[in-house]
Amino acid sequence: MSVTVVGSIAFDAVKTPFGARERMLGGAAVHFALAASFFDEVRVVGPVGDDFGEPELAVLRARVVQTDDIEHVAGGRTFFWRGEYGWDLNDRETLDTQLNVFADFAPKLSPASRDCDILFLANIQPDLQRQVRAQCERARFVALDSMNLWIEIARDSLMSAIAEVDCLMLNDAELRQLTEEPNLVRAARRIREWGPRVVVAKQGEYGAAMITEDGFFALPAYPLETVIDPTGAGDSFAGGFVGFLAAHPDEPLDHELLCRAMAYGTALASYNVEEFGTERVARLRPDEIAGRVAELARITSFVTKPVALRR
Ligand code: AMP
């Protein structure tokens, strides 16, 4: 079984109240791939420029991520994003987005990438997501992430892309923006009418909620004392969530399995935010993931006993 991901492969410049990096490896597909690599074979599809070299590829290869479908565009520059966070780490400002090699990208997947079991359409221009979706006919589960930029400038394309997937993962503010529906449960119902049977609302430091045909499930974020840089948390969440599903091909892809996947997404996201960019997840160990999932199970369960309530 294998997972294919298309999305940004980037250099990020990030400032948070706790420090800054002028140029670090990032991109939605990179954060996703590192997280998902703990569960299954992952193939990354996307272009990079001359400025993307061995040190960046080495981070992916150290986690045995397949990089054969990373296309080097001679003379091009890699996607670049600059963002800044204030004290509320749920609220970030994008200061610069340079599509660079993504502007003329026409994805051509290798047979191995096309043959994936699970496909993740990470955040990128929705027409590119659709082109990749069309090439992966065999995938048994396709999830899609996006962002406010594409809701604003490519809404129709994004709606078409959403109609072709099984699962939509968005920040809750973006879900409201997309559906023009202030209530999350109703927004999710609307999305499910468009096609996806699973909707995941990412809620930053408050965790994530999921709506399927069988109902609602939510987990808080793992309680951390130190958060340094939330960049890529959503993609690491997706990597844990989707990766877990890929690693369980013989189990029905139902509400119960999806709930378990939510715990792995939450654990991966929690490690991502502890340091800048990919720094923490790049040296994460499987036992650390298992430890946080067990701890999450403990802190989210409680005992109910009958209680006499007053009229
Ligand atoms: P997240 O924090 O999970 O939303 O993802 C952060 C990553 O998204 C960063 O590493 C950026 O390189 C990437 N990113 C930011 N803006 C865009 C965009 N417009 N399209 C694709 N990727 C983006």
Side-chain angles (χ1 to χ4, degrees):
M1 299 298 141
S2 76
V3 181
T4 292
V5 54
V6 64
S8 52
I9 303 167
F11 284 116
D12 290 343
V14 173
K15 192 169 170 202
T16 81
F18 314 105
R21 294 283 188 277
E22 253 317 293
R23 186 182 134 100
M24 63 183 179
L25 174 62
V30 170
H31 285 289
F32 172 90
L34 290 174
S37 71
F38 286 93
F39 302 88
D40 207 341
E41 185 173 78
V42 185
R43 294 174 185 276
V44 180
V45 175
V48 295
D50 290 340
D51 48 351
F52 198 91
E54 271 312 311
E56 288 76 31
L57 286 170
V59 174
L60 291 167
R61 289 185 183 141
R63 290 272 346 129
V64 204
V65 172
Q66 298 295 318
T67 56
D68 303 351
D69 279 20
I70 295 184
E71 189 185 323
H72 173 213
V73 180
R77 286 183 69 77
T78 301
F79 180 100
F80 177 79
W81 176 76
R82 180 183 292 277
E84 188 169 334
Y85 298 79
W87 286 105
D88 177 356
L89 292 173
N90 272 353
D91 190 27
R92 80 171 167 214
E93 194 183 353
T94 291
L95 301 174
D96 193 7
T97 301
Q98 298 171 16
L99 288 180
N100 296 334
V101 289
F102 266 102
D104 300 314
F105 179 55
K108 287 177 292 300
L109 277 63
S110 64
S113 283
R114 275 205 299 271
D115 197 38
C116 62
D117 181 42
I118 307 257
L119 174 64
F120 185 61
L121 304 169
N123 176 26
I124 198 64
Q125 214 284 342
D127 289 325
L128 293 178
Q129 295 179 312
R130 293 188 72 197
Q131 287 175 37
V132 173
R133 169 72 190 100
Q135 293 178 54
C136 298
E137 289 172 8
R138 210 188 63 81
R140 72 185 164 95
F141 188 80
V142 183
L144 179 147
D145 185 15
S146 192
M147 71 183 295
N148 54 355
L149 175 72
W150 308 120
I151 299 172
E152 283 151 26
I153 70 170
R155 189 185 188 88
D156 290 348
S157 298
L158 179 58
M159 301 266 290
S160 302
I162 290 170
E164 296 166 1
V165 303
D166 303 289
C167 172
L168 176 67
M169 313 179 84
L170 278 185
N171 292 340
D172 57 359
E174 293 162 351
L175 272 175
R176 291 189 182 98
Q177 184 185 4
L178 178 65
T179 56
E180 295 172 345
E181 173 59 72
N183 177 284
L184 183 61
V185 177
R186 287 160 74 130
R189 188 189 317 133
R190 177 83 56 86
I191 300 280
R192 295 187 60 251
E193 284 163 8
W194 297 349
R197 65 183 177 90
V198 182
V199 178
V200 176
K202 296 176 287 180
Q203 299 167 321
E205 66 176 301
Y206 305 112
M210 177 178 72
I211 292 104
T212 73
E213 63 256 16
D214 291 321
F216 182 91
F217 179 73
L219 280 179
Y222 185 85
L224 290 173
E225 286 196 19
T226 308
V227 175
I228 298 294
D229 171 22
T231 309
D235 307 304
S236 299
F237 177 93
F241 179 83
V242 169
F244 178 87
L245 298 176
H248 294 81
D250 300 327
E251 292 188 42
L253 225 159
D254 57 11
H255 188 81
E256 195 226 278
L257 192 73
L258 290 159
C259 292
R260 286 161 62 201
M262 289 273 287
Y264 284 83
T266 301
L268 265 300
S270 75
Y271 282 111
N272 179 98
V273 304
E274 284 185 339
E275 293 179 25
F276 273 97
T278 60
E279 289 166 13
R280 181 66 180 95
V281 175
R283 57 165 214 283
L284 188 59
R285 295 189 321 262
D287 60 298
E288 293 177 311
I289 299 171
R292 277 208 180 156
V293 168
E295 186 60 8
L296 265 172
R298 193 187 65 77
I299 63 177
T300 55
S301 70
F302 61 95
V303 179
T304 52
K305 290 184 180 169
V307 60
L309 295 169
R310 298 177 70 204
R311 277 186 184 275

